Amino acid sequence: MRVALLLAPLALVAAADRPIPAASPVGAPELCLPRHRIQNSIVRSDRIIDFVLFGGKVYRVTLAQGCPDLGYQRGFAYASTGNQLCASDQITVVNTAPVPAGARCALAPFQPVTLAGGWKAAR
């Protein structure tokens, strides 16, 4: 089992305090993404995470339910048995002290999107 920790870089934390950019679907949702292609993740709220791939393609995951403290903490970890992150996987919110691990939440399909407002993925 492999464990990965994804925390939003400081530059993106400031961006995450702005309204969530609208996203237009650009294809069919995918059930898994190859982990080695994920450059970054941006936690937008308790329900929305944008995954940025190398090359700039963005996939939005909208969780079925809010994941407590995800939007506040802006970081999560996941464990996977393969080389992919899948909609069937769960994430764990990474809290600051005193409790290091927070809520566990199921992911959802990865929807390829174009973000409104000229937002560009960091490369």
Side-chain angles (χ1 to χ4, degrees), residues 49-116:
I49 306 169
D50 288 340
F51 289 87
V52 181
L53 303 189
F54 288 101
K57 192 167 187 176
V58 178
Y59 287 83
R60 177 162 284 181
V61 171
T62 302
L63 306 177
Q65 301 177 43
C67 190
D69 286 334
L70 179 63
Y72 176 74
Q73 296 293 343
R74 306 252 185 239
F76 61 91
Y78 64 89
S80 66
T81 55
N83 292 322
Q84 299 187 87
L85 181 60
C86 295
S88 60
D89 290 333
Q90 290 198 342
I91 60 172
T92 302
V93 175
V94 177
N95 289 331
T96 54
V99 181
R104 288 185 56 131
C105 304
L107 285 174
F110 298 85
Q111 175 64 58
V113 297
T114 298
L115 299 178

Side-chain angles (χ1 to χ4, degrees), residues 10-21 42-45 71-72 74:
L10 293 177
L12 293 177
V13 170
D17 290 334
R18 290 186 238 148
I20 298 170
I42 305 167
V43 175
R44 303 284 188 183
S45 71
Y72 176 74
R74 306 252 185 239

Side-chain angles (χ1 to χ4, degrees), residues 3 11 24 27 33 35 46 98 109 111 115:
V3 177
S24 301
L33 294 178
R35 290 183 323 146
D46 283 352
Q111 175 64 58
L115 299 178

